[in-house]
């Protein structure tokens, strides 16, 4: 019992001490009717009586006493204002910190299951004798009112999501419909990515800016393709650990060496069956369903390409002003250097290409998700060479490659659905 009293707001604010409350509880547990009004407030974890009234009148100026406030909560709970509901839920405390609100539940969690139930029931039984007339019902009604608010909010959010979905299916890029129809976005979708640790270590602030600017740019891309927030929320770029022993500098011809090592590690990871999302794996670990975090790529992550960010790719975003300037490396995990193959040497393809950043969630993704058997990464590389800005992949459609609107600096080529561009 002392553990619960220690979590009282009165105790955390040094208005009381747990030992004193425990002594009063033990004295009056079998005779609660004999307790004083002041001690009632203390054992119920209320502010003192003058503070209770002051807090009530502060949020309900037309109510002059506590009894009228409780009467309203009991007889007309649907007329309670949000501040009135909040005050009842906080047991007349005008403001509570997040820690104060969680303290009691946290204290309960420290007890064993059987002891927790016994202790809580014992305290509640005692407190039920201390409430004023209608007070317990007023608290119950406030809790019910809050639950109705949460339910109304959930229904409104569901309605908004449904309207968003219908709009996406009708007006968004056609592949979004296909993505939704396959599994209603129950699985994540996206890419695996390696980030060069040298770039992070060299200038952490610049690297943080890269992440923020990239996120903002991708948000505009989702809006442009007509995606719903549900589909956007399931897009994931899975950051992979940098393989041990892999160089981090790409100067002096080491760029191919880096990609070779990244390919090895990616191919190792994709040799495992797809694993669950990290939150689900953590739950399994805590529940004892698994003994360790498995290796591999998360379910929904593309396995026929991976992304790589180095200083040059990051600079395209940080130093660029238009979305058409932003690009990222896309690496072919199946490419093997073959100097004896003359056709390979003459083509110039080296197993990687630049991809327009925002096309990661449109033309490039479509090509790798649904058309990889028809269109290879080398085919995408060849088309990328036609891009007049930075040789990055935009589209297989020549018209889309050159259809740049310089007035729209936040959105790159070939993102808006065709109807929207007409």
């Amino acid at each position: 019992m002392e553990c619960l009293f220690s979590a009282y707001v009165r105790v955390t604010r040094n208005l009381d001490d747990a030992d004193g409350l425990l002594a009063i509880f033990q004295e009056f547990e079998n005779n609660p009717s004999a307790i004083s009004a002041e001690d009632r407030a203390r054992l119920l974890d209320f502010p003192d009586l003058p503070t209770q009234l002051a807090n009530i009148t502060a949020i309900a100026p037309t109510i002059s006493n506590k009894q009228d406030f409780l009467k309203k909560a009991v007889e007309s709970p649907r007329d309670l204002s949000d501040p009135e509901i909040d005050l009842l839920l906080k047991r007349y405390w005008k403001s509570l910190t997040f820690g104060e609100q969680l303290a009691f539940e946290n204290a309960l969690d420290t007890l064993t299951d059987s002891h927790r139930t016994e202790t809580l029931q014992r305290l509640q039984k005692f407190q039920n004798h201390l409430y004023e007339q209608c007070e317990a019902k007023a608290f119950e009604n406030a809790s019910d009112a809050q639950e109705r608010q949460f339910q109304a909010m959930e229904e409104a959010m569901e309605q908004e999501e449904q309207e968003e979905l219908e709009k996406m299916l009708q007006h968004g890029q056609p592949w979004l419909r296909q993505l939704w129809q396959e599994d209603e976005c129950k699985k994540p979708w996206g890419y695996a990515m390696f980030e060069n640790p040298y770039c992070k270590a060299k200038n952490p602030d610049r690297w943080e800016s890269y992440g923020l600017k990239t996120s903002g740019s991708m948000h505009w891309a989702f809006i442009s393709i007509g995606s719903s927030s549900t589909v956007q929320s399931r897009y994931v770029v899975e950051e992979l650990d940098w393989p041990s022993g892999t160089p981090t500098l790409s100067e002096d011809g080491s760029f191919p060496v880096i990609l070779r090592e990244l390919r090895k590690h990616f191919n190792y990871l994709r040799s495992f069956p797809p694993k669950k999302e990290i939150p689900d794996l953590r739950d399994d670990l805590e529940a004892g369903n698994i003994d360790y975090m498995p290796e591999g790529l998360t379910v929904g992550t593309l396995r026929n390409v991976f992304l790589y960010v180095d200083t040059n790719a990051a600079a395209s975003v940080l130093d660029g002003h238009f979305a058409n300037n932003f690009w990222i490396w896309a690496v072919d995990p199946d490419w093997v250097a073959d100097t004896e193959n003359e056709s390979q040497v003459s083509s110039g393809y080296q197993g990687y290409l630049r991809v327009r950043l925002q096309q990661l969630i449109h033309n490039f993704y479509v090509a790798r998700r649904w058309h990889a058997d028809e269109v290879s990464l080398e085919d995408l590389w060849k088309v990328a060479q036609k891009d007049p800005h930075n040789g990055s992949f935009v589209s297989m459609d020549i018209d889309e490659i050159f259809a740049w609107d310089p007035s729209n600096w936040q959105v790159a080529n070939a993102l808006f659905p065709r109807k929207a561009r007409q």
Side-chain angles (χ1 to χ4, degrees), residues 4-5 8 24 84 96 255 262 314 328 390:
L4 300 186
F5 289 143
Y8 269 27
I24 299 172
E84 289 170 341
L96 295 177
F255 184 72
L262 296 184
I328 191 170
N390 41 43

Side-chain angles (χ1 to χ4, degrees), residues 3 22 27 45 77 83 95 113 122 145 164 181 232 268 271 296 315 356 359 363 368 389 391 401:
C3 174
L22 180 61
E27 180 180 354
D45 197 19
S95 60
D113 291 343
R122 185 180 168 195
E164 261 195 354
Q181 290 172 344
Q232 180 177 351
Y268 168 75
S271 69
R356 188 69 53 77
Q359 287 301 331
N363 286 331
R368 297 316 292 156
H389 298 287
I401 294 175

